[in-house]
Amino acid sequence: MRVVKYILTVVLTALCLLCAGTCVYLMTQVLELRDERAQLESENTAKESAIAELRSSLEEEQDRSSSLESELDLYRETLTTQNEEQAEDDSQTGSQGSQEAEITVLPGEENTEGTEASDLSSLVPGDVISGVSSGDDVSAYFTSAVISVGDEVYARIYGKSYQDNDYISLEDLRYLMMLHYNFDHEVQVGEMIVHKNIAEEVLLIFQELFAAEYEIQSMFLIDNYWTGDADSTDTASIEENNTSCFNYREITGGGSLSNHAYGCAIDINPQQNPYIWYDSDGSLHYAHANAAAYIDRTSGADHMILYGDICYNTFAKYKFSWGGNWFNPVDYQHFEIVAY
């Protein structure tokens, strides 16, 4: 009988110890789960806070974007009003100028002798004209025109700067004629092809540069320098220090289409504002020998684009970004905007 009691006592003791151990284990697990839950709640709170900050930043960016769009709309409305006023004045006075002036555009040779600018339809790119200055109302000389299959501009660019492609159509482009001061500080007729979405802004930019008497050596379509392919033609244009925009080509080095291919990038005085890059050892390179005198951007040489100058500020005013702010490569001649 004692043996039975002893065995029962041992069994009960073991059961009690097992129960106690189980309770301790369960309590430990409960405490660990509580700690994990508290940690997860803390992490969740942090994530919710981060999400809230991101939402706030997104709302700020959306507000900023809306503000920029409003400014751009205001610029366009201002230009439209100016055009309507000009058209009304023209109808009353019988003048021929308008924003979408119907002028005959010919390739032409540069006229360096100077002509009276009384007949807009007689002007061709490269003409140096007299009787016009920065203080005059020159809006009639800043024109935008649709390019149509079979017209003279189309005949100049088709198969050259303009190629059949899936990304940019002829209807997306506009042909501009504009005035600029050349390096002899003469008033000269220039030309450019840009994307239709920025045509009005580009006209305003170059009107402001003209008003400031900013000098641009030449402004011809890149087709004037055609060599047989887009890349070497770009090189030929740069070697002549020509300011240009549209050229259906890839970015320098290849891989994807350049913004020039969309008519959304403009190169200004490329000799004085070269494209440069650095190797991993820090050595500096530039592609064109005529740029050697302009690598030192602190030299004070004429026609160099610098941060905060009239050229930079005018393009920045219309939301263009500058290649001179790039890290590597650096493209001092290049202004671009994504508008397609």
Side-chain angles (χ1 to χ4, degrees):
M1 194 68 180
R2 289 182 179 177
V3 173
V4 174
K5 289 182 179 180
Y6 176 76
I7 292 172
L8 290 173
T9 300
V10 170
V11 171
L12 290 173
T13 301
L15 290 173
C16 290
L17 291 173
L18 180 61
C19 289
T22 301
C23 290
V24 171
Y25 172 77
L26 292 174
M27 288 299 296
T28 302
Q29 293 297 308
V30 169
L31 292 174
E32 289 180 356
L33 289 172
R34 286 179 178 176
D35 291 341
E36 290 179 2
R37 179 180 178 181
Q39 183 177 354
L40 289 172
E41 289 177 347
S42 177
E43 292 176 354
N44 187 52
T45 300
K47 289 179 180 178
E48 289 178 349
S49 177
I51 290 173
E53 292 180 2
L54 289 173
R55 285 176 176 169
S56 177
S57 299
L58 179 59
E59 291 174 356
E60 291 178 359
E61 289 299 324
Q62 290 174 336
D63 291 341
R64 187 177 298 118
S65 177
S66 298
S67 176
L68 293 177
E69 289 179 358
S70 297
E71 291 181 15
L72 187 56
D73 289 340
L74 179 60
Y75 293 141
R76 287 173 171 161
E77 289 175 5
T78 300
L79 182 59
T80 300
T81 301
Q82 291 174 347
N83 291 342
E84 291 174 351
E85 292 174 352
Q86 182 65 41
E88 183 178 352
D89 291 342
D90 289 348
S91 65
Q92 293 174 353
T93 62
S95 65
Q96 297 179 359
S98 69
Q99 188 64 27
E100 290 284 343
E102 295 182 359
I103 59 177
T104 302
V105 181
L106 302 173
E109 295 294 331
E110 182 176 338
N111 176 5
T112 58
E113 296 180 356
T115 61
E116 290 291 337
S118 57
D119 183 5
L120 297 182
S121 65
S122 68
L123 297 178
V124 296
D127 277 352
V128 173
I129 62 176
S130 59
V132 178
S133 65
S134 59
D136 298 334
D137 178 6
V138 294
S139 57
Y141 295 90
F142 288 77
T143 64
S144 171
V146 173
I147 305 170
S148 301
V149 174
D151 69 18
E152 295 187 57
V153 175
Y154 175 82
R156 292 174 62 191
I157 69 175
Y158 183 70
K160 297 178 181 178
S161 66
Y162 181 78
Q163 306 281 336
D164 290 326
N165 67 91
D166 296 328
Y167 303 100
I168 185 81
S169 67
L170 199 64
E171 292 75 18
D172 291 327
L173 301 174
R174 293 293 182 269
Y175 176 82
L176 310 183
M177 286 187 69
M178 304 179 285
L179 298 183
H180 66 93
Y181 281 86
N182 62 25
F183 281 7
D184 294 322
H185 211 67
E186 302 165 319
V187 177
Q188 186 166 315
V189 180
E191 62 179 347
M192 185 176 291
I193 291 176
V194 303
H195 197 284
K196 66 179 181 181
N197 291 346
I198 63 169
E200 294 177 352
E201 288 74 16
V202 172
L203 289 173
L204 289 172
I205 287 170
F206 281 91
Q207 284 188 65
E208 292 187 22
L209 292 178
F210 181 80
E213 300 189 14
Y214 188 83
E215 293 183 342
I216 298 171
Q217 178 166 306
S218 67
M219 193 189 305
F220 296 107
L221 300 189
I222 204 163
D223 306 84
N224 280 24
Y225 308 92
W226 189 253
T227 62
D229 66 84
D231 289 334
S232 61
T233 295
D234 180 60
T235 297
S237 176
I238 289 174
E239 294 290 352
E240 294 298 324
N241 199 26
N242 182 58
T243 291
S244 66
C245 177
F246 176 72
N247 184 15
Y248 190 78
R249 65 175 177 84
E250 294 183 345
I251 61 173
T252 301
S256 60
L257 284 179
S258 166
N259 273 328
H260 286 287
Y262 296 96
C264 290
I266 300 173
D267 290 340
I268 305 288
N269 292 333
Q271 177 181 358
Q272 291 77 28
N273 301 285
Y275 176 96
I276 66 173
W277 68 96
Y278 298 87
D279 283 343
S280 57
D281 61 2
S283 58
L284 172 67
H285 299 274
Y286 50 95
H288 305 279
N290 65 0
Y294 303 96
I295 299 303
D296 179 6
R297 307 306 288 177
T298 65
S299 69
D302 291 338
H303 306 116
M304 291 196 306
I305 300 170
L306 302 174
Y307 180 87
D309 70 6
I310 182 64
C311 186
Y312 172 88
N313 286 339
T314 304
F315 274 93
K317 173 182 175 180
Y318 292 92
K319 317 309 176 189
F320 280 72
S321 62
W322 181 43
N325 286 331
W326 298 352
F327 176 69
N328 190 29
V330 183
D331 198 356
Y332 293 109
Q333 65 199 255
H334 185 91
F335 291 92
E336 68 177 18
I337 188 170
V338 178
Y340 48 85

